[in-house]
Amino acid sequence: MKTPSAKNLMSINRLTTEDALCFSRRHLTAYYDTDFFPKPFEFGALWYKWEDVVRVLSSPGWQPFGNPIAIPWRKPRGGYRIVHQLDPVDSIVYAAAVHSVSDSIEASRQSRYKKVACSYRIKTDPYSFFVAGSGFSDYRARCEELAAQYRYVLATDISDFYNRIYLHRLENAVSIAAGDGQGKALENFLLSINNNTSQGIPVGPAASIVLSEAVLVDVDQYIIDRGMRHVRYVDDIRVFSDSKHALDVLLQEFTHYLHQNHRLGLVGEKTRIVESQLFLQEELQNQYQIEKLEILSEIEVGNPYGCESKIAPMELDEEAGATLLKSLERIERHEYLDLAVARAIMRRAKANKVKELAIHLIRKSNFYRPVINDLVLYLDAVTGPDNIHDICAAIQEMLFDQSFDDKATAEWFSWYVSKHRGLVSDDEARQVLSYSDGLRYRAAAAVTLGNVSWVRTHKDKVLNLGPWDRRAVIFAAQILARDERDKWLKSLSRNGSLSLLDKWMIEWVIAGAPEVPPLAAPPVASPVIGNEFLVDFDDDIPF
C-alpha cells in the first residue's frame, strides 16, 4: 500500500478548525492524551506557540508526525495488550478531528432510550467527549431487565477490538454518519500514524472510544434486524432470547458477519449461551459483586465507572487510611484484579492525600500492573519528606525483584522518580531510569537535579537522535546558563532537518519554558486533572 500523499492528507484540515483545535487543547489540558502514558512535556511548548499551531494544523498540506510510542500493558486475566502514545501534535489533531465528527457519530447510533448501545454516550462540553458518563450502570441495569424477561443469554465479546479495527470500515462508518470527506480524512490520518497499516486505532486516547462506537453502529443494527433483544458495552455483547437454538443460529451468522464485513472475530473462551439467571448469578450478583459494592460503600465511591471528577476530596476520619488499606487487602485475595475497585481506592487515596497505602502498593506493584498508572499517580501525589526514605527503600526492593522488566512499570516509575529530587538523587532509586526506553525521563531527571553536564554530553549529538529523544535534550537545555542555552539553541534552530515541533520547543525553552494558562472556555463545572474515565481498553467487561 502506498503512503498517503500530501494531496490526500490535505483533507484532514477540514476537521481541524480553530474551534475543534481549541476543544482539543482544553481536553488535553484537563485530561491526558492517553490513559497509559505520562503526559509529554511538549504540550507546554505547543500551548506557548498556540497561534502558530492553529495556523499550521488548520491549513492544507500539513502531514502527521506518525511516530507513536507503543508498549505492552498487562491485562488483569493474563497476557498483554499494546497501548499507544501519539506524537503530541498528532494527539492534538486526533482529538480535534474526532470532536468534529462526534455529534454525527452519536446521532448515527441506536437511541440511548432503546438501551442497546449503553457505553459512552457522546455528549461534549468544552473539555470532554463524555459528559453523560461511561454508561456502565445503564448497561448493568439493562442486563438485569432483559434477564428477567428471557430465559437464555448469549454472552460474547470481540477479540482485541481496538487493535483490529479495519480502517476502511471505520472510514465507511464515519462517512455514513458525517460525510465522505470526513471519513476519508480520518482514514488517511490513521494510516499515516499507523505506519500505513490498515488495521488498528490507537489504544489510550479518549477519541478512540468515539471511533470504536462508530464502527459498531452496524453491528447493533445487524442483531436488531434478526429480531433479537441485546445490550452492548463497547465490544461486549449480551443477546437475550427464550430459544437456545435461536441464539446458536445467531452466533453462527454473527460470527460470519463480523468476519466478512469487519475482519473481526469473537473470543471463543468467553463466548457462551447460558440461562439468564445463571448469567446474573455469575456476572452481576455473585458473592464478589456483593463484596465489591460493600468495598465501594466503605470508601464512599458510588460509581467507579464514571468520570474521575466524581472522586473529589472529602472530609475523612482518622481511620481512612486503615479503611482503604483494608479494602486493598480484600481485593488482593481474589485471583484477578478488579480494575474499577482498585482505581477507585487509589483515586480516593490520591484525592485526599492518604499516605498509608504508599509502601503497600509499591510492594504489591506486580499485582497492580494493570493499573500501574493510577498507582504511580497516587504515589506522586503523596510523596514528601516524611515518607521519601521509606519509598526509596521500597523501590530498591522492586529493583531486586526485577519489577522494572515490565515496560509499563518502568515507564511510569521512571517518570515518577525523575520528578522528585529526593528520589532521583538516591543512587539506587535512580537506577530505575535505566529501564526506560529513550532519554525522556533522564532529561527530566537532569532538569530536576540541575545536571548541566548531562545536557552538555548530549547536545552535540542531538541531530543524530530520534524525534522524541531530540526534544528531550532540547527540553533539558533550560537548565543551561542563558548565554550558552540561547547560543546553542538559536544555532540549532537554523538546521533544516528540524521539525516544526522541534523549533517550537526551542522557542519555548529560550523563553524560559513558561507555564501557559489554560485556554478560556464558556463557564462549565471545573474539570479534575486526570484520566477522563476509569477506561478499560481490555476485552473484558470491568466486573
Side-chain angles (χ1 to χ4, degrees):
M1 187 182 295
K2 295 181 180 179
T3 301
S5 66
K7 181 178 179 181
N8 286 335
L9 288 172
M10 286 171 61
S11 59
I12 194 65
N13 77 292
R14 74 175 62 201
L15 299 177
T16 53
T17 63
E18 182 173 359
D19 286 346
L21 289 167
C22 287
F23 165 84
S24 181
R25 175 176 168 181
R26 289 190 298 265
H27 172 70
L28 295 173
T29 300
Y31 304 107
Y32 286 100
D33 57 315
T34 171
D35 282 318
F36 298 105
F37 289 82
K39 187 178 290 188
F41 45 68
E42 286 91 337
F43 285 119
L46 291 165
W47 307 154
Y48 177 72
K49 296 293 296 179
W50 185 240
E51 290 185 5
D52 288 345
V53 171
V54 170
R55 176 179 53 78
V56 170
L57 298 186
S58 59
S59 300
W62 174 82
Q63 296 194 43
F65 280 59
N67 52 349
I69 299 172
I71 60 172
W73 192 275
R74 184 72 174 178
K75 299 167 76 171
R77 295 178 180 268
Y80 295 84
R81 70 178 75 87
I82 297 299
V83 300
H84 304 93
Q85 183 166 50
L86 302 184
D87 181 278
V89 175
D90 290 344
S91 290
I92 294 173
V93 172
Y94 190 39
V98 172
H99 179 263
S100 293
V101 298
S102 60
D103 288 344
S104 297
I105 289 172
E106 176 64 18
S108 73
R109 301 169 69 190
Q110 292 293 315
S111 167
R112 67 181 306 164
Y113 301 107
K114 293 183 178 180
K115 302 178 183 179
V116 170
C118 291
S119 49
Y120 300 103
R121 300 308 307 210
I122 302 160
K123 182 180 179 182
T124 62
D125 71 359
Y127 300 92
S128 171
F129 290 102
F130 307 116
V131 176
S134 69
F136 185 79
S137 60
D138 294 336
Y139 162 82
R140 182 187 176 99
R142 185 59 171 166
C143 280
E144 293 179 337
E145 182 181 338
L146 291 175
Q149 298 175 30
Y150 297 93
R151 184 175 178 183
Y152 297 102
V153 58
L154 163 63
T156 189
D157 63 79
I158 299 171
S159 177
D160 198 20
F161 177 49
Y162 281 81
N163 283 312
R164 294 189 179 181
I165 288 174
Y166 184 33
L167 295 187
H168 189 59
R169 287 292 175 264
L170 173 60
E171 183 266 320
N172 290 342
V174 176
S175 293
I176 291 170
D180 291 344
Q182 284 84 346
K184 181 55 69 174
L186 271 168
E187 181 187 23
N188 283 332
F189 172 78
L190 288 166
L191 280 169
S192 297
I193 64 173
N194 263 12
N195 196 25
N196 219 32
T197 301
S198 60
Q199 272 189 306
I201 63 175
V203 178
S208 290
I209 300 173
V210 177
L211 296 186
S212 74
E213 289 297 326
V215 170
L216 293 172
V217 167
D218 74 302
V219 170
D220 288 329
Q221 190 62 55
Y222 177 86
I223 298 173
I224 290 170
D225 288 346
R226 267 116 212 96
M228 297 287 194
R229 305 290 295 278
H230 81 286
V231 60
R232 179 179 59 77
Y233 192 85
V234 193
D235 60 325
D236 290 87
I237 301 165
R238 308 293 184 250
V239 188
F240 294 82
S241 173
D242 285 326
S243 170
K244 194 171 185 178
H245 175 72
L247 289 174
D248 184 65
V249 171
L250 173 69
L251 177 58
Q252 294 179 58
E253 295 174 344
F254 184 51
T255 301
H256 186 258
Y257 180 83
L258 278 178
H259 174 74
Q260 287 291 96
N261 292 279
H262 290 278
R263 289 297 186 264
L264 294 171
L266 301 174
V267 182
E269 60 270 25
K270 297 179 184 176
T271 299
R272 58 184 186 143
I273 299 172
V274 297
E275 290 189 357
S276 295
Q277 293 309 306
L278 178 61
F279 163 74
L280 287 182
Q281 291 170 15
E282 290 183 347
E283 294 199 15
L284 297 181
Q285 297 170 353
N286 59 52
Q287 182 58 39
Y288 177 63
Q289 294 305 315
I290 296 171
E291 182 180 3
K292 174 177 172 176
L293 293 175
E294 291 176 357
I295 294 171
L296 295 174
S297 176
E298 287 173 2
I299 63 173
E300 301 185 66
V301 180
N303 176 16
Y305 303 99
C307 300
E308 186 180 4
S309 58
K310 294 184 184 298
I311 305 181
M314 59 183 294
E315 185 175 345
L316 299 179
D317 60 35
E318 294 180 357
E319 301 299 318
T323 299
L324 292 172
L325 186 57
K326 181 180 176 182
S327 297
L328 286 179
E329 291 169 345
R330 288 173 70 181
I331 67 174
E332 288 163 10
R333 292 199 294 264
H334 295 270
E335 183 178 1
Y336 303 117
L337 176 67
D338 188 301
L339 299 179
V341 177
R343 285 168 172 153
I345 294 169
M346 292 178 194
R347 293 180 180 186
R348 167 61 67 220
K350 174 190 170 189
N352 288 88
K353 303 293 179 66
V354 176
K355 298 187 176 185
E356 288 88 339
L357 278 60
I359 304 306
H360 178 87
L361 284 171
I362 295 174
R363 288 176 175 162
K364 290 281 189 175
S365 60
N366 278 333
F367 180 74
Y368 290 105
R369 283 159 63 186
V371 290
I372 199 68
N373 47 352
D374 276 287
L375 189 158
V376 173
L377 288 168
Y378 158 73
L379 290 177
D380 182 54
V382 301
T383 299
D386 57 333
N387 62 5
I388 197 79
H389 177 76
D390 290 339
I391 288 174
C392 280
I395 289 174
Q396 290 168 21
E397 293 176 21
M398 292 180 69
L399 287 163
F400 180 78
D401 291 340
Q402 299 179 314
S403 298
F404 299 113
D405 287 341
D406 177 71
K407 291 289 188 182
T409 302
E411 183 82 17
W412 276 95
F413 269 87
S414 293
W415 169 82
Y416 167 58
V417 168
S418 73
K419 288 186 64 183
H420 294 271
R421 175 176 284 273
L423 296 176
V424 77
S425 59
D426 180 89
D427 290 341
E428 294 194 62
R430 192 169 57 250
Q431 292 179 35
V432 174
L433 302 178
S434 66
Y435 288 87
S436 63
D437 295 331
L439 300 178
R440 298 181 63 75
Y441 304 120
R442 290 170 232 190
V447 173
T448 299
L449 292 174
N451 187 351
V452 171
S453 66
W454 187 92
V455 185
R456 289 172 177 164
T457 299
H458 288 84
K459 71 176 188 175
D460 290 337
K461 53 188 177 185
V462 69
L463 293 174
N464 297 324
L465 299 174
W468 290 88
D469 285 347
R470 183 167 58 248
R471 297 193 298 259
V473 176
I474 293 171
F475 172 76
Q478 64 184 278
I479 63 174
L480 296 174
R482 179 181 296 179
D483 288 348
E484 180 183 3
R485 178 195 70 195
D486 292 359
K487 180 178 180 181
W488 174 59
L489 289 178
K490 287 177 181 179
S491 174
L492 180 64
S493 68
R494 292 191 287 270
N495 189 288
S497 65
L498 295 188
S499 70
L500 271 176
L501 182 50
D502 293 332
K503 294 179 179 180
W504 289 333
M505 283 283 297
I506 287 173
E507 291 187 48
W508 178 58
V509 171
I510 288 176
E515 286 193 25
V516 180
L519 194 64
V524 293
S526 299
V528 172
I529 303 305
N531 289 0
E532 180 162 10
F533 280 106
L534 305 179
V535 175
D536 176 21
F537 282 89
D538 201 350
D539 291 336
D540 302 323
I541 281 285
F543 287 120

